[in-house]
Amino acid sequence: MIKLTKLNGEEIYINPDLIEKMECYPNTTILLTTGKNTIVKETPDEVVNRIIELKKKYAANHGG
């Protein structure tokens, strides 16, 4: 799970495997495969970097 911040300051955790797409107008809107969407303060690049870091940690801890 990656930690993100909603526009109201609430911290949320999202399973990055459920992200279908992200759009920026100007806030980052994340659409999940469940059909739900969330608007967050982080830029799309920040979200992608958090996903990359999570995958690196997972690979390091699981011999990949």
Side-chain angles (χ1 to χ4, degrees):
M1 303 279 262
I2 57 171
K3 182 168 71 168
L4 300 171
T5 310
K6 293 174 73 171
L7 294 181
N8 66 3
E10 177 185 353
E11 292 181 341
I12 59 170
Y13 291 84
I14 291 181
N15 179 344
D17 294 331
L18 296 180
I19 295 176
E20 183 175 325
K21 69 177 180 176
M22 287 189 288
E23 297 177 345
C24 190
Y25 12 46
N27 298 312
T28 303
T29 301
I30 299 173
L31 177 65
L32 302 176
T33 58
T34 62
K36 294 185 178 186
N37 66 5
T38 302
I39 301 172
V40 298
K41 290 183 178 181
E42 292 79 8
T43 66
D45 286 341
E46 289 173 315
V47 175
V48 169
N49 286 335
R50 290 184 187 185
I51 294 169
I52 290 168
E53 289 304 312
L54 177 69
K55 302 263 182 192
K56 283 181 184 177
K57 284 182 188 176
Y58 182 81
N61 290 331
H62 293 88

